[in-house]
Amino acid sequence: MAVKYEFIKECKQTGARLGRVHTPHGVIDTPTFMPVGTQATVKAMAPNELKDLGAQIILSNTYHLYIRPGHKLVEKAGGLHGFMNWDRPILTDSGGFQVFSLNELRKIKEEGVEFKSHLDGTKHFFTPEYVMEIENSLGADIMMAFDECTPYPCDWDYAKNSMERTIRWLKRCKDAHKNTEKQALFGIVQGSTYKDLRIESARRTVEIELPGYAVGGLSVGEPKDLMNEVLEYTVPELPKDKPRYLMGVGSPDALLDGAIRGIDMFDCVLPTRIARNGTVMTSKGKLVVRNAEYAEDFLPMDEECDCYACKNFSRAYIRHLIKAGEILGGRLTSIHNLRFLQNLMANIRKAIAEDRLGDYREEFFIKYGYKK
Amino acid sequence: MAVKYEFIKECKQTGARLGRVHTPHGVIDTPTFMPVGTQATVKAMAPNELKDLGAQIILSNTYHLYIRPGHKLVEKAGGLHGFMNWDRPILTDSGGFQVFSLNELRKIKEEGVEFKSHLDGTKHFFTPEYVMEIENSLGADIMMAFDECTPYPCDWDYAKNSMERTIRWLKRCKDAHKNTEKQALFGIVQGSTYKDLRIESARRTVEIELPGYAVGGLSVGEPKDLMNEVLEYTVPELPKDKPRYLMGVGSPDALLDGAIRGIDMFDCVLPTRIARNGTVMTSKGKLVVRNAEYAEDFLPMDEECDCYACKNFSRAYIRHLIKAGEILGGRLTSIHNLRFLQNLMANIRKAIAEDRLGDYREEFFIKYGYKK
């Protein structure tokens, strides 16, 4: 199998687990956060910077790469690793989320999803088999199955039918996946926010033996407590000897709450997206560095941070760069936010090792200004 | 004096000279090219990257910094060096070029120039005295006098009057400059493309004793040969023991031809501006990496280049980034173009040391595809 989960220990205070995911391109310490490199680049970042700030794995988006520059071109370049010159692990999503988000531009059939490109309106048809072909060309260490991510809210009947189809598609994905030696296919649990559907989806997904499983369809607009509730009854259905990935989650509170509920892997565009707009996460909470109040503030964005941006530049300078539309502004805030989350994950791992992740969460929430 | 020129040797084949400029923030090997950091950042670049590619001095723009974030703020941050965290030499222009470029937004008087901000239309008034105050706040190692850069073409009478005023303003600049210990004021020779005016301007400018002199008003649309002609009769009027700076020049041919005519310092936005549009300078000439012909070209932008971009990424990948509007695209092409010019200047210095800059120019022109 391309990917193996090594369990180290469980936090005695919570259900969080410390582990390692072994992949063809190296080891990932879990719980981990994966920066998102939608178009074969984590926005504003160079690979050497991602390494410097401690990223062990990144995520890239199948839909975007299929549309541009095309998976065949990426394959010719030696897969995503060669194309973007990233020699550490990569995970690709399946394009499902993007294709379903196209709304009036797509049509769902049992065979697959017909959709129009957001770039030029050309027609395309994604089937589980075709998505596997694309992901095999991209060559990521972990590839996600083609699923439907149901919106929130979503009625029970729709969620049930969609979940059933996602399972049928998962079987087709498994059959079509050509490179099991070097690429691990992960299945995705769906079922919206319905306990019966989630449990059924988890059980039937796990019946299909795969090297890892994800919880999808969350962080799509539902309240925070509801996400935690779903995790509480879904995660126990997942095998202990496989990595568990919560898709699309990247706010500090959700990372903590997900880890506490037994999640090993997370991803989200949030840290880089808000960074480019001038908002950063700091040890004392969010800071909108583009605001006028920082015009003459010569402190670093986060006094406790060890990133290149915080060690070398002031809030006043970064605010100036962002106000002036200078590229370096978004670069520095992106470096910071990604480093902030890497540090958060390292702290989470340390707290698990010390059996005190519950305490750490409480301390973090108070300092960050979250309600408990 | 804040800045001292150390003459090393003259090329026996040409009039080029090898030297060093000593400044409060370090030594610059000349001939040198200065990347432009208009708004206190060389576009798309971080200071550590500029150092990695060998930049020994950068230029920043007084007009832009005065407008945003304001020179008083920069002064509070410890001057430009502190504000942007660049500990090597900096040169600031005087804002003259920008203010005169505002056209209908400005009014020239003997006292100074009244203009409206390009950002918000607010009225401002630059006098030689005020520009010195601003440049003193910015704290660059080298600061340029407030002059009028005449357009091309420009009639003799206008050029004559403007040149006279520039000399009167230079005297006022010298009187107003408050920080001669740490900041060197350079005078600027004007006179459009008229030999008599250029020679008069040079002689009268040099009469005003200063640590360095620049040739301004070139590279403003005149033919290439005309620029070289002006340099041929202007540069010999400049003192041998002071640095000579040709303003606004950055194409490889003009750098070679300027060095051959005895110029020590150059600056231009060209390398970073064309880079962001997807054009790079290579050892075999210009390459528009965003063009379709490079879609499946897995060679580096320049096979002879040692920059981070060329050592790690293909034309196909960089083309993809630029087509997709990804920040990393413009970063990589900017790194390359700036490194290309640093390498060119190093080669020029080597050729001067070996008394073969004429031969080197010929070899370079053939390879680059320039007409002789």
Side-chain angles (χ1 to χ4, degrees):
Chain A
M1 252 198 290
V3 158
K4 268 186 76 174
Y5 178 71
E6 176 194 349
F7 173 81
I8 298 176
K9 80 175 289 274
E10 198 174 283
C11 172
K12 284 185 190 139
Q13 219 177 44
T14 67
R17 44 195 227 152
L18 190 66
R20 287 190 196 102
V21 175
H22 297 261
T23 82
H25 286 87
V27 175
I28 306 148
D29 296 304
T30 58
T32 192
F33 175 79
M34 304 183 278
V36 176
T38 296
Q39 304 191 102
T41 169
V42 176
K43 286 196 193 302
M45 303 287 299
N48 58 349
E49 292 167 328
L50 287 168
K51 286 187 179 182
D52 286 350
L53 61 81
Q56 292 183 312
I57 174 170
I58 60 167
L59 179 149
S60 199
N61 292 111
T62 290
Y63 166 79
H64 289 89
L65 294 173
Y66 163 80
I67 294 286
R68 179 174 57 193
H71 59 292
K72 288 292 176 197
L73 171 62
V74 174
E75 187 173 26
K76 276 186 204 165
L80 257 180
H81 287 94
F83 186 55
M84 66 182 290
N85 194 31
W86 174 255
D87 59 9
R88 292 187 180 178
I90 302 176
L91 180 151
T92 43
D93 69 358
S94 68
F97 180 76
Q98 280 77 22
V99 165
F100 284 94
S101 307
L102 291 171
N103 295 319
E104 67 284 8
L105 290 175
R106 50 90 175 155
K107 217 153 79 188
I108 308 170
K109 304 173 181 181
E110 179 57 25
E111 178 62 12
V113 182
E114 195 179 276
F115 63 94
K116 285 185 184 163
S117 157
H118 71 288
L119 279 187
D120 60 9
T122 50
K123 266 194 191 169
H124 303 265
F125 194 62
F126 268 8
T127 61
E129 291 77 13
Y130 191 34
V131 167
M132 289 300 101
E133 187 187 322
I134 298 167
E135 290 198 81
N136 282 156
S137 291
L138 298 176
D141 301 78
I142 300 173
M143 40 194 264
M144 302 308 297
F146 190 57
D147 68 327
E148 178 178 5
C149 172
T150 46
Y152 177 83
C154 170
D155 68 51
W156 190 94
D157 287 337
Y158 188 94
K160 165 82 173 162
N161 284 332
S162 164
M163 178 269 277
E164 298 271 1
R165 188 171 48 231
T166 287
I167 290 168
R168 289 192 298 274
W169 282 0
L170 177 58
K171 289 177 188 159
R172 287 168 58 190
C173 282
K174 193 181 174 188
D175 288 344
H177 174 28
K178 290 266 186 338
N179 192 19
T180 51
E181 289 276 303
K182 290 192 175 161
Q183 295 184 271
L185 176 65
F186 279 23
I188 302 170
V189 175
Q190 291 289 351
S192 188
T193 49
Y194 302 103
K195 186 171 180 179
D196 54 345
L197 296 183
R198 281 282 173 184
I199 289 174
E200 186 187 346
S201 171
R203 289 181 186 168
R204 290 173 59 190
T205 301
V206 169
E207 270 169 27
I208 302 166
E209 194 157 332
L210 292 166
Y213 298 95
V215 182
L218 291 177
S219 197
V220 290
E222 78 284 0
K224 200 162 114 168
D225 289 347
L226 196 48
M227 176 162 87
N228 288 333
E229 210 183 294
V230 172
L231 290 177
E232 273 157 30
Y233 52 67
T234 305
V235 177
E237 300 295 330
L238 301 177
K240 287 197 155 54
D241 60 344
K242 306 274 174 77
R244 304 157 177 175
Y245 162 31
L246 176 57
M247 304 179 81
V249 160
S251 64
D253 56 340
L255 293 171
L256 277 158
D257 286 335
I260 282 171
R261 286 159 185 82
I263 296 293
D264 306 307
M265 303 167 68
F266 304 88
D267 82 284
C268 194
V269 296
L270 176 97
T272 44
R273 181 171 292 166
I274 65 173
R276 293 194 306 283
N277 284 322
T279 296
V280 290
M281 301 181 263
T282 81
S283 50
K284 288 173 187 157
K286 266 195 197 173
L287 187 146
V288 186
V289 70
R290 68 172 296 137
N291 280 354
E293 62 185 290
Y294 302 111
E296 304 207 357
D297 186 334
F298 299 113
L299 292 173
M301 289 184 288
D302 185 351
E303 289 179 86
E304 293 179 28
C305 183
D306 60 356
C307 80
Y308 174 71
C310 288
K311 281 195 298 187
N312 290 285
F313 306 97
S314 66
R315 294 168 179 176
Y317 180 60
I318 293 166
R319 172 177 190 269
H320 161 66
L321 294 176
I322 288 173
K323 293 293 283 181
E326 287 287 353
I327 288 170
L328 184 58
R331 285 184 59 190
L332 295 176
T333 50
S334 295
I335 286 173
H336 169 74
N337 276 353
L338 290 176
R339 178 65 185 163
F340 180 82
L341 289 188
Q342 291 299 327
N343 282 335
L344 173 62
M345 299 317 289
N347 287 338
I348 287 174
R349 292 193 296 268
K350 186 164 174 281
I352 297 172
E354 294 167 354
D355 293 311
R356 57 181 302 279
L357 185 56
D359 295 345
Y360 177 74
R361 176 187 184 277
E362 194 144 332
E363 292 154 18
F364 182 92
F365 269 49
I366 290 167
K367 217 168 146 189
Y368 202 85
Y370 279 131
K371 286 176 200 138
K372 274 188 216 178
Chain B
M1 253 198 289
V3 158
K4 269 185 76 174
Y5 179 70
E6 176 193 352
F7 173 79
I8 298 176
K9 79 174 291 271
E10 197 173 284
C11 173
K12 284 184 189 138
Q13 220 176 43
T14 66
R17 43 194 229 153
L18 190 66
R20 287 190 196 101
V21 175
H22 297 262
T23 82
H25 287 88
V27 176
I28 305 148
D29 296 304
T30 57
T32 192
F33 175 78
M34 305 181 279
V36 176
T38 296
Q39 303 191 103
T41 167
V42 175
K43 286 196 193 302
M45 303 286 299
N48 58 350
E49 292 166 329
L50 288 168
K51 286 188 178 182
D52 285 350
L53 59 82
Q56 293 182 311
I57 174 170
I58 61 167
L59 180 148
S60 199
N61 293 110
T62 290
Y63 166 78
H64 289 89
L65 295 173
Y66 163 79
I67 293 287
R68 180 174 56 193
H71 58 292
K72 288 292 176 199
L73 171 63
V74 175
E75 188 173 25
K76 277 187 204 163
L80 258 180
H81 287 96
F83 186 54
M84 66 182 290
N85 193 31
W86 174 255
D87 58 9
R88 293 188 180 178
I90 302 177
L91 181 151
T92 44
D93 69 359
S94 68
F97 179 77
Q98 280 76 21
V99 165
F100 284 95
S101 306
L102 292 171
N103 295 319
E104 67 285 6
L105 290 176
R106 51 89 174 154
K107 217 155 78 189
I108 308 171
K109 305 174 180 180
E110 180 58 25
E111 177 63 13
V113 182
E114 194 179 277
F115 63 94
K116 285 186 184 162
S117 156
H118 72 288
L119 280 187
D120 60 8
T122 49
K123 266 195 194 169
H124 303 265
F125 194 61
F126 269 8
T127 61
E129 292 76 15
Y130 191 35
V131 167
M132 290 301 100
E133 186 186 322
I134 298 167
E135 290 198 82
N136 283 156
S137 291
L138 298 176
D141 302 78
I142 300 172
M143 42 194 264
M144 303 308 296
F146 189 57
D147 68 327
E148 178 177 5
C149 173
T150 46
Y152 178 84
C154 170
D155 68 52
W156 191 92
D157 287 337
Y158 188 95
K160 165 82 173 160
N161 284 332
S162 164
M163 179 269 276
E164 298 271 0
R165 189 173 45 232
T166 286
I167 289 167
R168 290 191 298 275
W169 282 1
L170 176 57
K171 289 175 189 161
R172 289 168 56 191
C173 282
K174 195 182 171 186
D175 289 344
H177 173 29
K178 289 263 186 344
N179 191 18
T180 51
E181 291 275 304
K182 290 193 177 160
Q183 296 185 271
L185 176 66
F186 279 23
I188 303 171
V189 175
Q190 291 290 350
S192 187
T193 50
Y194 302 104
K195 186 171 179 178
D196 55 345
L197 296 183
R198 281 283 173 184
I199 288 174
E200 187 188 347
S201 171
R203 288 182 185 167
R204 290 174 60 191
T205 301
V206 169
E207 271 170 25
I208 302 167
E209 195 157 330
L210 292 167
Y213 298 95
V215 182
L218 291 177
S219 197
V220 290
E222 78 284 1
K224 198 163 116 168
D225 289 348
L226 196 49
M227 175 162 86
N228 288 333
E229 211 182 297
V230 172
L231 291 177
E232 272 156 31
Y233 52 68
T234 306
V235 176
E237 301 296 330
L238 301 177
K240 286 199 157 49
D241 60 345
K242 306 274 174 78
R244 304 156 176 175
Y245 161 32
L246 175 56
M247 304 178 79
V249 159
S251 64
D253 56 340
L255 294 171
L256 278 157
D257 286 336
I260 281 172
R261 285 157 185 84
I263 296 293
D264 306 306
M265 303 167 66
F266 304 88
D267 81 283
C268 195
V269 295
L270 176 99
T272 43
R273 181 171 292 166
I274 64 172
R276 294 194 305 283
N277 283 320
T279 296
V280 290
M281 301 181 264
T282 81
S283 49
K284 289 174 187 157
K286 265 195 198 173
L287 188 146
V288 186
V289 70
R290 68 172 294 138
N291 280 354
E293 60 180 306
Y294 302 112
E296 303 207 357
D297 186 335
F298 299 113
L299 292 174
M301 289 184 287
D302 185 351
E303 289 179 86
E304 293 179 28
C305 183
D306 59 356
C307 80
Y308 174 70
C310 288
K311 282 195 296 186
N312 290 285
F313 306 98
S314 67
R315 294 168 179 176
Y317 180 60
I318 293 166
R319 173 179 190 267
H320 161 67
L321 293 177
I322 288 173
K323 294 292 285 181
E326 287 287 353
I327 288 170
L328 185 58
R331 287 184 58 189
L332 295 176
T333 51
S334 295
I335 287 173
H336 169 74
N337 277 353
L338 290 176
R339 178 63 186 165
F340 180 82
L341 290 188
Q342 291 299 326
N343 282 335
L344 173 62
M345 299 317 288
N347 288 337
I348 288 174
R349 292 193 296 268
K350 186 163 175 281
I352 297 171
E354 294 167 355
D355 293 311
R356 57 179 305 277
L357 184 57
D359 295 346
Y360 177 74
R361 176 187 184 276
E362 195 144 330
E363 293 154 19
F364 182 92
F365 269 49
I366 289 167
K367 217 169 146 189
Y368 202 84
Y370 279 131
K371 285 175 201 139
K372 273 189 215 179

